[in-house]
Amino acid sequence: MKSTFSLTGLLIMILFLTTSCTTYHFGVANRAAMVPDDFGETEAAIARAEQSQGAQYCPDKIAAAKELARQGAETYWACKNTESSRLLAEARKLAGEAEGCGPQAAAPETVVAPIPAAEPTPDRMKYCVYLDIEFDIDKADVRPQYHDEVAKVGDFMKKYPTTTAVIEGYTDEVGGSEYNMKLSQRRAEGVVKYLEDNFGIDPSRLSAKGFGETAPIADNASDEGKQKNRHIRAVIDCAVDVKAIEPPPDRLCMTLKVEFASNSAEIKSRYYDEVNKVGDYMKKYPTTTAVIEGHTDNVGGFEQNMKLSQVRAENVVKYLVEKSGIDSSRLSAKGYGSTRRIAYNNTPEGRQQNRRINAIIDCVISK
């Protein structure tokens, strides 16, 4: 009787231990008391990666390592030991790569492409005006009937003497591309000369750039489209209060000095005044629309940076809708990740320049 009781008690104890003390590896319940050594090695590798600086720069690799480890555990309990070992080894490899991530771990960078004239810089903005100027065939002189168009630029630059401008020339696709490039350059230079001669703008404040047929804004299939593509654009770099600009330009491009915490899209309260610049301008001109662009440096994975820049841009849009009362139909968000860098990413200063929010405001106002 006593031995029967002891045996029953032992069985109950074993049952209790096996049902109440289940252990897990990588979120998968163990089905035996012992597991292979590579379970522990993989756990240790992932733990090191999570505690390293690499967790900040390559969280996507750590997440992938965890998922591979989970698959490895599932595969082991399905009695596929060889495949399990392979998956766990791959998880450890990814964890090791993540542990070594950091600003200096980025791939060597190619030369930074020339920064577009309309790319704004901190504390300044780009005032873009499209000039409706037609030229005589193979001529670059500004006809008298278009003097008022050029005056939009001349008067503004005289009013704000610290401004500089790039005069851009464009053509349709009629004629050879090399010819069009030279023609657009000569026409841009013709506008520069007119501004120097008639408005007294110092040559050091002006430059000309011909783009030929390379950047059409309309379809060249129609005469109307061709005419739109034969245009001059003035991109004026200025540091003025946007609310004081009269009349509004065709497009206003500004960089918002908004810094985000690592891997965060929350707008800190100290940057509200910066975002309010956009809201105040759009309230002053209620027919304007804007694209909010998000940009990052190259720290972290490509997909992660694309998503992060998109969410940051969307949060600025959300702020403008909720705090400034701008109708959501007037706003859109676009994340570019690290694809549009304006500086090298191998210095803290360069990475900071690349982490930016741009507001590109189109002013569709009857003139």
Side-chain angles (χ1 to χ4, degrees):
M1 180 72 176
K2 184 176 180 181
S3 61
T4 303
F5 175 79
S6 299
L7 181 59
T8 303
L10 180 60
L11 289 171
I12 291 173
M13 184 178 294
I14 293 172
L15 180 63
F16 173 79
L17 289 172
T18 57
T19 56
S20 63
C21 297
T22 302
T23 57
Y24 292 81
H25 282 88
F26 321 113
V28 179
N30 289 348
R31 300 171 196 174
M34 301 294 290
V35 294
D37 291 342
D38 54 2
F39 274 48
E41 292 170 4
T42 306
E43 282 184 323
I46 292 173
R48 285 195 302 270
E50 289 181 314
Q51 294 166 12
S52 70
Q53 72 161 0
Q56 176 183 354
Y57 300 109
C58 295
D60 51 336
K61 286 195 174 185
I62 295 176
K66 288 181 175 180
E67 174 58 22
L68 282 170
R70 185 195 65 77
Q71 294 176 15
E74 291 278 15
T75 305
Y76 176 78
W77 296 120
C79 298
K80 299 177 182 178
N81 296 1
T82 302
E83 177 63 9
S84 171
S85 295
R86 186 192 68 78
L87 289 167
L88 292 172
E90 184 64 24
R92 291 194 296 275
K93 179 174 179 292
L94 271 178
E97 291 175 1
E99 188 177 353
C101 282
Q104 302 306 319
E109 295 188 281
T110 56
V111 175
V112 174
I115 299 173
E119 171 69 39
T121 53
D123 297 318
R124 302 181 75 82
M125 64 200 70
K126 296 300 176 75
Y127 176 112
C128 307
V129 183
Y130 289 87
L131 305 182
D132 295 322
I133 299 176
E134 292 186 21
F135 295 87
D136 292 326
I137 295 175
D138 204 28
K139 297 290 184 181
D141 299 328
V142 179
R143 293 182 191 172
Q145 63 262 45
Y146 300 116
H147 289 177
D148 287 346
E149 281 291 300
V150 185
K152 296 176 185 177
V153 179
D155 290 340
F156 187 86
M157 294 188 73
K158 286 175 67 177
K159 182 178 180 180
Y160 301 104
T162 62
T163 55
T164 59
V166 177
I167 306 301
E168 300 178 341
Y170 300 85
T171 70
D172 57 28
E173 64 180 8
V174 176
S177 58
E178 185 176 347
Y179 171 83
N180 284 336
M181 192 67 75
K182 292 178 180 178
L183 179 61
S184 65
Q185 180 67 31
R186 286 194 291 118
R187 287 176 172 173
E189 290 170 354
V191 174
V192 165
K193 187 174 187 304
Y194 185 87
L195 288 167
E196 293 172 0
D197 295 345
N198 294 276
F199 290 88
I201 307 299
D202 191 276
S204 65
R205 297 172 59 196
L206 294 163
S207 61
K209 175 65 177 176
F211 289 89
E213 62 193 58
T214 61
I217 59 173
D219 190 345
N220 279 299
S222 66
D223 290 338
E224 295 79 7
K226 291 187 180 74
Q227 179 53 57
K228 288 181 179 179
N229 290 332
R230 297 191 298 268
H231 67 274
I232 294 288
R233 184 174 76 154
V235 181
I236 307 173
D237 184 80
C238 53
V240 298
D241 181 357
V242 294
K243 292 184 288 185
I245 293 179
E246 289 284 358
D250 296 313
R251 172 173 288 185
L252 189 67
C253 309
M254 66 178 82
T255 290
L256 305 183
K257 292 189 294 182
V258 179
E259 294 185 17
F260 297 87
S262 177
N263 206 32
S264 170
E266 178 188 359
I267 303 171
K268 302 294 185 182
S269 58
R270 61 180 176 274
Y271 300 118
Y272 288 172
D273 287 346
E274 191 73 10
V275 184
N276 287 339
K277 292 179 185 177
V278 180
D280 292 343
Y281 187 84
M282 295 187 73
K283 284 192 287 188
K284 181 178 181 181
Y285 299 109
T287 59
T288 55
T289 60
V291 177
I292 306 300
E293 299 179 346
H295 303 269
T296 71
D297 56 28
N298 69 342
V299 175
F302 175 83
E303 291 186 11
Q304 178 199 8
N305 284 334
M306 291 296 286
K307 291 177 182 177
L308 183 59
S309 64
Q310 180 68 31
V311 174
R312 287 174 173 174
E314 289 172 354
N315 279 359
V316 173
V317 166
K318 183 180 179 183
Y319 177 94
L320 290 167
V321 171
E322 295 179 353
K323 304 295 185 181
S324 296
I326 308 300
D327 191 277
S328 58
S329 64
R330 297 171 60 195
L331 295 161
S332 60
K334 175 65 176 176
Y336 288 95
S338 59
T339 63
R340 292 191 176 184
R341 61 189 175 132
I342 58 174
Y344 288 104
N345 283 300
N346 56 5
T347 66
E349 296 76 18
R351 290 192 293 275
Q352 181 56 58
Q353 288 183 55
N354 291 330
R355 296 191 299 267
R356 66 198 191 279
I357 294 286
N358 285 352
I360 313 300
I361 305 173
D362 279 314
C363 308
V364 285
I365 298 169
S366 299
K367 301 179 182 179

